[in-house]
Amino acid sequence: MWDHPQKNKHNAFVPDKPTNLTVTSITSRKVAISWLDPKNLGGYRLSRFWITLKEESALILNITTGKMNEYEINNLIPYTTYGISVAAGNYLGFGEETVTSFITSEEAPSGPPSHIKTTSRSASLLSVIWDPPEKAKQNGVIVSYTACVSHSENGLCFQTFITRGREWLVGNLNSSTKYYVRVLASTKVGHGNYSESKGFFTNGTFVPDKPTNLTITSITSRKVAISWLDPKNLGGYRLSRFWIKLKEESALILNITTGKMNEYEINNLIPYTTYGISVAAGNYLGFGEETVTSFITSEE
């Protein structure tokens, strides 16, 4: 191992900077560079090189090598700009660096789009929007999205839509029906995986609207009480039941239907845990859209 390198570019006895620093091959995750020895070696034998790699101001690589004229760097990030420098050295020190920059190639996205939601809906239409994948997982320029709607979670797509934007008006749907939407993103290299499916109900003229004022009325470390108000639109039939679901992250903890009531107590919870809860109102034809909230149980 060489000692930690020290630049000494004003010393006439150290080498000049290398010439012809070139990126000879580049992929999404690695790059090969080459250079030529400086013409002026400073009067002593050229014995080593000092290579640094930066992403913006962050130092990614800082090494000295023996006498060589090429180097391969791995474990890079796709579609990222790096700056690289090479300085030549002899036993007295290092001279001035030669500097260049490069951009790694693109890859297909390694993360899916997120936050799929509806902006409006009717008995036969769903207007859906979403966010792009996380910046660090885009791996290039997103050139298109492919959206899919199915009758079941992760079921076969009966409609697909390819767009450069991040919205889709899904038509020709049935009223009072739950549909599942998932989306994938593509760069010019290829497409990533689909997002998790998100379920949405179309409006129905014969099932109730969603309950209102879903409230956590009391909470402890092991139980919670909730209450809600009946929807204003009952769908033209008598309101007869409610559908209550409780989730911890993606795990379904409670999935029950009740009679006509406006409050409920849930026991056997875990202290200091986040839960999501939904309530949907129903008549004899079916259930409407859920009202959703979340809570954290108390500590013990």
Side-chain angles (χ1 to χ4, degrees):
M1 287 290 291
W2 299 100
D3 294 334
H4 185 74
Q6 299 291 326
K7 285 188 289 188
N8 194 9
K9 61 185 180 182
H10 299 298
N11 188 335
F13 298 105
V14 297
D16 287 348
K17 63 184 180 181
T19 61
N20 290 75
L21 176 57
T22 305
V23 177
T24 55
S25 70
I26 188 168
T27 70
S28 59
R29 302 283 178 172
K30 67 181 180 179
V31 67
I33 60 171
S34 67
W35 60 89
L36 299 179
D37 294 345
K39 293 181 180 179
N40 175 22
L41 303 183
Y44 294 90
R45 184 175 62 86
L46 185 65
S47 57
R48 49 185 176 161
F49 289 94
W50 179 13
I51 302 171
T52 63
L53 180 74
K54 288 185 176 182
E55 180 194 350
E56 295 182 345
S57 60
L59 186 62
I60 308 300
L61 179 72
N62 185 19
I63 64 163
T64 57
T65 74
K67 177 65 177 70
M68 58 174 57
N69 292 91
E70 58 186 16
Y71 194 79
E72 185 175 280
I73 303 169
N74 298 286
N75 301 316
L76 302 179
I77 300 171
Y79 197 61
T80 300
T81 300
Y82 292 94
I84 192 161
S85 68
V86 179
N90 55 29
Y91 89 100
L92 290 177
F94 287 92
E96 187 178 354
E97 312 104 313
T98 295
V99 179
T100 191
S101 62
F102 62 90
I103 302 176
T104 47
S105 307
E106 297 185 45
E107 283 186 358
S110 53
S114 61
H115 300 115
I116 302 171
K117 57 186 178 182
T118 58
T119 56
S120 64
R121 67 187 75 190
S122 70
S124 61
L125 298 170
L126 288 173
S127 180
V128 183
I129 61 173
W130 56 86
D131 289 337
E134 295 176 32
K135 184 68 175 176
K137 296 181 178 180
Q138 292 181 17
N139 297 340
V141 177
I142 303 299
V143 296
S144 68
Y145 294 93
T146 301
C148 154
V149 62
S150 60
H151 291 291
S152 61
E153 193 168 5
N154 300 320
L156 292 176
C157 304
F158 68 87
Q159 285 192 49
T160 57
F161 180 60
I162 300 174
T163 176
R164 296 178 65 90
R166 289 187 282 113
E167 58 183 352
W168 182 21
L169 183 63
V170 193
N172 300 315
L173 304 177
N174 296 322
S175 64
S176 304
T177 302
K178 191 172 188 179
Y179 294 96
Y180 292 86
V181 178
R182 59 189 187 268
V183 186
L184 63 78
S186 300
T187 65
K188 66 180 182 181
V189 179
H191 64 78
N193 294 326
Y194 272 112
S195 64
E196 292 185 358
S197 291
K198 188 69 182 290
F200 304 102
F201 277 97
T202 50
N203 289 345
T205 55
F206 303 112
V207 295
D209 288 347
K210 62 184 179 181
T212 60
N213 290 77
L214 176 57
T215 305
I216 308 299
T217 55
S218 69
I219 188 167
T220 69
S221 59
R222 300 285 180 171
K223 66 181 180 180
V224 68
I226 61 172
S227 67
W228 60 89
L229 298 179
D230 293 345
K232 293 182 179 179
N233 174 22
L234 303 183
Y237 293 88
R238 183 176 63 85
L239 187 65
S240 58
R241 51 188 176 156
F242 289 95
W243 182 11
I244 302 172
K245 291 190 293 184
L246 181 74
K247 287 186 176 183
E248 180 191 355
E249 296 184 345
S250 59
L252 187 62
I253 309 299
L254 179 72
N255 185 18
I256 63 164
T257 58
T258 73
K260 176 65 179 72
M261 58 174 58
N262 292 89
E263 58 186 26
Y264 193 80
E265 184 174 277
I266 303 169
N267 297 286
N268 301 316
L269 302 179
I270 300 170
Y272 197 57
T273 301
T274 299
Y275 293 92
I277 192 161
S278 67
V279 180
N283 56 27
Y284 88 99
L285 290 176
F287 288 95
E289 185 182 355
E290 310 107 305
T291 295
V292 179
T293 191
S294 62
F295 62 90
I296 302 176
T297 49
S298 306
E299 296 182 47
E300 283 187 356

